[in-house]
Amino acid sequence: MTQEPGYTRLQITLHWAIAGLVLFNYIFGETMERAYDAVRQNVEPAGVGHYLHVVVGLAVLVLTLVRIGARFVLGVPEKGSTPGDKVAAGLQGLLYLLTLLVPALGMTAWGGGQAWAAGPHVLAANAIMLLALVHAVSALFHQYVLKDRLLLRMMRPR
């Protein structure tokens, strides 16, 4: 993997698209919970919100796979070596893992009919939101307190 000074337009677009889709599905997650409960009671789910939740979840999974591939093909900015940099890299790795795990657990619960996966799906979705909040606050701290222009790497293509 090459070390680059910033991210490409594709990488930036994927980052913000995945973030928006994850947020959308989290905000409207109750629609899916109601549909899941209805199906478990052998009742037809109302509306189409659950279908949208599934499609958005699949999009998150596919776009995350594309984003991971893009990291290897297009490179990433050089990582620092401080303890904070190591924590940031670990947090980023967890976010990648969760953007794969949450949709996979959702597909296992909904499409695979495996009720055991529903609880971990919700737990992992909550974890991704908490970690995304930490990620966002950290980026804002870098931009506005440390003034190191770190946030601009994910806003302006190289």
Side-chain angles (χ1 to χ4, degrees), residues 1 12 16 20-21 26 28 32 40 52 58 65 83 88 91 101-102 107 110 114-115 117 121 124 130-131 134 141 158:
M1 187 175 343
I12 292 169
W16 292 111
L21 292 170
Y26 189 79
F28 296 103
M32 192 62 183
R40 291 185 69 199
L52 186 56
L58 287 171
L65 290 171
L91 175 73
L101 185 62
V102 170
M107 287 187 301
W110 181 258
Q114 300 296 313
H121 172 72
L130 178 62
L131 292 176
V134 171
F141 178 79
R158 61 176 181 227

Side-chain angles (χ1 to χ4, degrees), residues 13 62 69 83-84 86 91 93 96 98 112 119 126 133 138 150 155:
T13 300
V62 169
K86 291 182 187 325
L91 175 73
Y96 276 109
L98 287 169
N126 288 331
L133 176 64
S138 297
L150 185 91
M155 300 181 84

Side-chain angles (χ1 to χ4, degrees), residues 114-125:
Q114 300 296 313
W116 66 265
H121 172 72
V122 172
L123 184 63

